[in-house]
Amino acid sequence: MSDNIITPQLVSLDVDYGSTPREVIEHLAQQAQDAGRASDSLKLADAAYAREQKAGTGVNGRVAIPHCRTEAVETPTLVFARLQRPVDFSGPDGDAELVFLIAAPEGGGKAHLKILSKLARALVRGDFVTQLREAKDEQTVVNAVLDVVNAAPKKKTAAAPTPAATGKTDGVKKFRIAAVTSCATGIAHTYMAADALTQAAQARDDVEFQVEPQGSSGGDPLDQAYIDSADAVIFAHDVAVRNKVRFAGKPVVDSPVKRGINEPNKMIDEAIAAANDPNAPRVTTAGSEQREDSASSGESWPKKIQQAVMTGVSYMVPFVAAGGLLLALGFLFGGYDMANGWQSLVTNFSPTHLPGHTIDVDGEMMTFRRSGWLLYLGAVMFATGQMGMGFVVAALSGYIGYGLAGRPGIAPGFIGGAISVMVGAGFIGGLVTGLLAGLIAYWIQTWKVPRWLGSLMPVVIIPLLTSLAIGLIMFLLLGRPLESLMLGLQGWLESMSGSSAVLLGVIIGLMMCFDLGGPVNKAAYLFGTAGLSAGTEASFQIMAAVMIAGMVPPIALSIATFLRKGLFTPAEQENGKSAWLLGLSFVSEGAIPFAAADPFRVIPSMMLGGATAGAVSMALNVGVQAPHGGLFVLFAYEPWWGLFVALIAGVAVATVAVIVAKQFWPNEEIQKVAAQAEPAAVAN
């Protein structure tokens, strides 16, 4: 990395750059231009702020890292500010005091990701953040940042087995552990987990440890000789481990990546226990060859299928989000009656030939409440959204197939999803065809074929045979039964009223608040978003119950920390300052720090609030045509006031429940931490 990625001219200490992220980013962009590092500060600011609007870039330690790729810079650049007035960048523990603007060239993706990952790794180190907070001048900041960004990769130790790996050193058995970390984005959590595990291992006398972060910015793989000599393996991951065959036969501890950040010592203890247990789970592979894109083979089939479905959901969500929000915007601009004639509006009119209030729709004259630009733009947005929603089932099916079989499963899955839409099987058909496509493609990959045919298998033979099989199965066997099932489900949902609808709302609310972003939460979210493609009132009401219930936990816990500070640790109090905003944005994960620290009091309380919100939402027939956005897509709710009634009811119940639970069933560990912090707060 270039030594001039940051210079004293790109550092500002103890400045007031405004009260909003946009103002801070604009000041930093102007600073980059003044230092000759950006050709257009406005273009740089617009690109960084557009990224900021997708998801806040605040991280732990009251730090923010807005970032972008843009033509406005030619070389990777860091601009840093230490703010007098902290600004809300949606960080987990309060307003940001330290802000990095990371600007990479349009074609500089690798450098951009390397800067991000190195900063993320440094930000788990308290000493680095302390250096920035205590720096007396700009050059001190430059030196601290360059030490991190330009740090050479640590050289791996000799990989051959050593006495330390198999014997005793100073009377302590040394266990050799190999680890892999990975997350969905491959930027922050991947490297934070790797460093948390490494730091925990370095503080112990009983382990040797090496880790392979499989992140977006790349990295060196573990030496095979080290893996071969390892006593156990740790996988802290949210996506499939690449090239897992290297670890075949090793005792394994397999957990989500967040556990590597939050419980590194516990995972190391479990790895040591696995090394000593001849019956411990081991890494296995299926078929004659391990494929990098294939769903990993060490897990049980139920887990593989669960991960594949979650993969399908994660890839489907952007289609739902883009399509659903465009549909909602279409209604906002063009009015709800525009849905009856949007095809004629977009095909028969243009910017130079705008529609009036009355137009011919398929031979029938129809009158619309709006006309001109509003009606035309509304129809364009609605049509674009319809096209996006048309891919939802195919994307779900295609990427479930990908989750099970890798790239050979994508095409058959998409084709199966399209067939499901054609025969009326809907998202249920998409789930079925995705699983079938993945399983069939996975099975065909295990065939032993001549070498000359091997190169054709993934790109021609497997997609061809699997697609043919899916077509035959759907058209000859499953199409009509799945269509009947889908029609029956839609009819049941549309017929729900009164107590049955309220019961469904209760169930949705309980699921949304059970694991706050985990599999149960995602299952409820899939139920809501997949139904949007049906376009029925019942589907809109289910989506509203899903979204409103998911907003409850962060808001309720934020309010509880304000009402009864003594029941929460100082860290939880800090989290409470920003959790309400995450809740209003429908980011249920804002409640995870509270639930992780005190699950037996927090989770049941949040489930009560979520069940209340879901029940009230369904009882009031609240519907929403957007799949995300929380309060910020208020225009998409009908009736809009129902959102507030259901949300307030759920938040009130959850807030009272968590306060009562903590008051009358106190958590001794949290009380001890709070008691220790109180004298320090008084002294300050």
Side-chain angles (χ1 to χ4, degrees), residues 350-367:
S350 69
T352 58
H353 176 48
L354 296 173
H357 284 287
T358 303
I359 66 169
D360 186 329
V361 178
D362 297 328
E364 178 182 352
M365 300 303 295
M366 295 186 62
T367 301

Side-chain angles (χ1 to χ4, degrees), residues 187-403:
I187 297 176
H189 287 127
T190 297
Y191 299 98
M192 288 180 174
D195 281 5
L197 286 163
T198 300
Q199 290 172 20
Q202 288 173 346
R204 303 171 62 126
D205 296 325
D206 55 348
V207 295
E208 284 188 60
F209 183 85
Q210 287 189 16
V211 62
E212 177 183 312
Q214 294 185 349
S216 298
S217 63
D220 295 329
L222 289 173
D223 191 282
Q224 187 61 48
Y226 181 87
I227 296 172
D228 293 341
S229 67
D231 296 296
V233 174
I234 291 175
F235 291 152
H237 65 122
D238 288 338
V239 296
V241 173
R242 296 198 290 267
N243 199 11
K244 185 186 272 191
V245 72
R246 297 173 295 161
F247 304 91
K250 294 293 181 182
V252 63
V253 175
D254 195 322
S255 294
V257 68
K258 283 187 178 179
R259 191 158 179 254
I261 300 172
N262 298 330
E263 300 178 351
N265 266 308
K266 190 171 182 180
M267 292 193 75
I268 291 172
D269 289 338
E270 291 172 2
I272 293 173
N276 289 324
D277 182 1
N279 298 317
R282 294 176 180 267
V283 181
T284 60
T285 59
S288 59
E289 179 184 358
Q290 176 71 18
R291 297 156 185 83
E292 181 172 313
D293 294 326
S294 176
S296 55
S297 306
E299 301 91 358
S300 64
W301 273 106
K303 186 172 182 181
K304 287 182 187 178
I305 290 172
Q306 179 202 3
Q307 288 185 343
V309 172
M310 297 302 292
T311 299
V313 172
S314 66
Y315 280 102
M316 177 199 76
V317 165
F319 289 91
V320 179
L325 287 171
L326 282 167
L327 291 177
L329 287 170
F331 284 130
L332 178 66
F333 278 76
Y336 282 91
D337 54 352
M338 171 270 304
N340 298 321
W342 62 271
Q343 290 173 303
S344 295
L345 287 166
V346 296
T347 55
N348 297 333
F349 295 92
S350 69
T352 58
H353 176 48
L354 296 173
H357 284 287
T358 303
I359 66 169
D360 186 329
V361 178
D362 297 328
E364 178 182 352
M365 300 303 295
M366 295 186 62
T367 301
F368 297 90
R369 286 177 293 176
R370 295 177 183 169
S371 63
W373 272 109
L374 283 178
L375 182 59
Y376 179 67
L377 286 177
V380 169
M381 293 177 184
F382 191 88
T384 307
Q386 285 280 49
M387 299 305 103
M389 293 300 289
F391 283 101
V392 166
V393 174
L396 174 67
S397 179
Y399 288 109
I400 290 175
Y402 168 74

Side-chain angles (χ1 to χ4, degrees), residues 452-500:
W452 63 268
L453 188 59
S455 61
L456 294 177
M457 291 292 288
V459 294
V460 178
I461 306 300
I462 297 175
L464 170 63
L465 295 179
T466 308
S467 298
L468 176 60
I470 292 297
L472 293 173
I473 290 171
M474 286 299 291
F475 283 119
L476 301 181
L477 296 175
L478 296 182
R480 293 192 181 278
L482 289 174
E483 177 192 18
S484 300
L485 179 60
M486 191 68 188
L487 290 174
L489 176 61
Q490 290 178 358
W492 173 65
L493 293 176
E494 291 171 358
S495 66
M496 283 191 315
S497 62
S499 60
S500 60

